[in-house]
Amino acid sequence: MTYNMLSYGDDLERAERIHEVIGQQRADAAKAGDALVVAVQELIADDRAAGVGGARWCRRWWPGAGGRSKAGRAGWRLRTLAEATGLRCEYQRNRSAVGVGNRRYHLGLLWSDELAPAGGFAAVEGQALWHAYVQLDLDVGVREPVAHGSFHARPHGLRQRADEYELLVKQVYRPPYSRSTLVGLDRNGVAADLPGWPPRASGETAWPEYDHDPYRVRHGELCRTVNWEREFAFQCRTWWNADGTRGWEADRTAGRVLCDGGLVDAAAALEVPWAATVGHWRGDQACGPRRLDSVVVTPEVVPALVSCGVITSETARTASDHLPVVACYRPRDLAEFPCERGSG
């Protein structure tokens, strides 16, 4: 499960809804005899005292002004979330699986009791990324551990976003951590995956990719032209036509980095019906419904994929401006991991 929680910690009422969403997914997984891993984004923690920067800070959750570094507070925030949802987050004693971003937004991993950390923890932080990337090997009951990651792409900077995706691909395939991997991520951009596995170009729509171009047409409305909005500057490549009019389309450069680098979108591979993860909140009307959140996997995970879907409950729709995505897989069906992936 991947979940951008919209500034988790800023609003106690919303946070309790987030606990309910994750807790329900945990209960559903347990009822089915499954384990749960949750990749979360937008944990809030900075170096300021409690209450500074907004009246909605959850004071009773805060560990005290000046008592901890930003990294320490981010880890504390993840542990708070883990305790509230009955999940685990420490891969070693007093070490949380948290990735510390450059600003006040951080991310992390949670998992249920059925799973156990198996070493191989890695975090990419600092100036290399606007947010961060965190990855952890988990024992899922098969011969080799399976890596699970959480990533949050930058909200602006088209070229820099593509650079960040290169770092993500490099980390997934970097020895000694190279293994079957699933990453829950907020793309902050339109994906470039073709539908199916092996991927193929679709001849049934106006675009070959699994995701439509939300900045040119609205999903299900192929003949409707979308008017230019200044918010598109963070998402589109543009040009001037001979008649002086502006042309534009979704910039999929970052998405193609993932595809070319060997990471597969689970929803696209399974060809499940397209579903938006953002656009249900007020203020999103300009850009419209989009699928910014997804689970990407290394190719040997694709045969093990069972399902992929978006949680659209009323609680989820009011808890965050992003809807969670859940991808299910059977570890025993993982394909053999190619030996040559350890190179480079």
Side-chain angles (χ1 to χ4, degrees):
M1 174 176 174
T2 184
Y3 199 2
N4 182 320
M5 305 177 295
L6 182 60
S7 303
Y8 176 79
D10 263 358
D11 188 311
L12 179 57
E13 183 178 349
R14 279 199 310 99
E16 290 173 344
R17 294 194 198 110
I18 288 168
H19 299 163
E20 182 179 343
V21 172
I22 297 176
Q24 183 62 54
Q25 189 60 37
R26 175 178 176 270
D28 291 346
K31 185 177 180 179
D34 296 334
L36 177 67
V37 181
V38 186
V40 294
Q41 301 92 35
E42 291 206 17
L43 296 161
I44 291 296
D46 58 16
D47 292 323
R48 296 177 294 180
V52 175
R56 296 187 301 159
W57 280 91
C58 303
R59 286 177 176 270
R60 69 186 180 89
W61 285 9
W62 202 248
R68 300 181 181 178
S69 66
K70 181 168 65 174
R73 294 187 181 198
W76 179 88
R77 184 72 79 193
L78 184 62
R79 288 193 295 273
T80 300
L81 176 60
E83 292 170 3
T85 55
L87 297 171
R88 298 184 179 275
C89 69
E90 292 188 349
Y91 64 95
Q92 292 179 359
R93 182 176 175 83
N94 297 323
R95 291 184 178 273
S96 300
V98 67
V100 181
N102 279 308
R103 306 300 190 273
R104 58 196 293 260
Y105 299 97
H106 318 291
L107 47 77
L109 291 168
L110 307 169
W111 56 91
S112 52
D113 291 335
E114 297 87 346
L115 305 177
F121 176 77
V124 181
E125 303 168 328
Q127 297 302 314
L129 299 173
W130 179 269
H131 291 107
Y133 173 63
V134 64
Q135 179 178 310
L136 176 66
D137 292 349
L138 290 171
D139 182 352
V140 297
V142 292
R143 184 168 62 90
E144 293 291 334
V146 175
H148 297 75
S150 181
F151 176 72
H152 191 177
R154 62 171 43 243
H156 49 72
L158 300 176
R159 298 166 186 82
Q160 292 169 301
R161 190 180 298 139
D163 290 343
E164 290 190 347
Y165 275 55
E166 287 186 27
L167 287 173
L168 169 60
V169 171
K170 185 67 174 179
Q171 187 60 52
V172 167
Y173 288 95
R174 182 188 298 275
Y177 303 113
S178 296
R179 60 178 75 254
S180 300
T181 304
L182 301 91
V183 180
L185 73 165
D186 173 2
R187 294 175 175 270
N188 265 324
V190 180
D193 297 76
L194 297 176
W197 189 256
R200 66 184 186 282
S202 172
E204 301 175 358
T205 62
W207 51 88
E209 295 88 0
Y210 173 75
D211 287 89
H212 70 289
D213 186 338
Y215 310 110
R216 295 185 64 185
V217 296
R218 294 295 184 236
H219 185 64
E221 300 178 10
L222 301 184
C223 297
R224 178 180 174 183
T225 300
V226 177
N227 294 325
W228 173 262
E229 301 281 350
R230 63 180 179 84
E231 289 87 352
F232 293 2
F234 308 118
Q235 294 290 337
C236 298
R237 59 177 291 267
T238 64
W239 61 87
W240 290 107
N241 297 314
D243 59 1
T245 58
R246 188 202 317 264
W248 68 89
E249 65 181 8
D251 188 297
R252 301 182 192 257
T253 306
R256 291 193 177 99
V257 169
L258 287 190
C259 296
D260 295 343
L263 293 177
V264 183
D265 187 286
L270 292 173
E271 294 188 84
V272 299
W274 186 92
T277 64
V278 299
H280 56 283
W281 270 35
R282 289 183 179 180
D284 289 343
Q285 289 81 4
C287 293
R290 291 160 293 157
R291 192 182 70 101
L292 298 186
D293 305 84
S294 59
V295 175
V296 298
V297 304
T298 48
E300 63 277 356
V301 178
V302 176
L305 290 173
V306 176
S307 63
C308 185
V310 179
I311 297 176
T312 59
S313 65
E314 185 61 27
T315 303
R317 295 177 71 86
T318 58
S320 172
D321 61 343
H322 289 248
L323 297 175
V325 176
V326 179
C328 299
Y329 73 101
R330 293 191 185 95
R332 68 175 182 271
D333 292 337
L334 293 168
E336 189 69 23
F337 198 95
C339 297
E340 62 268 17
R341 283 189 55 198
S343 62

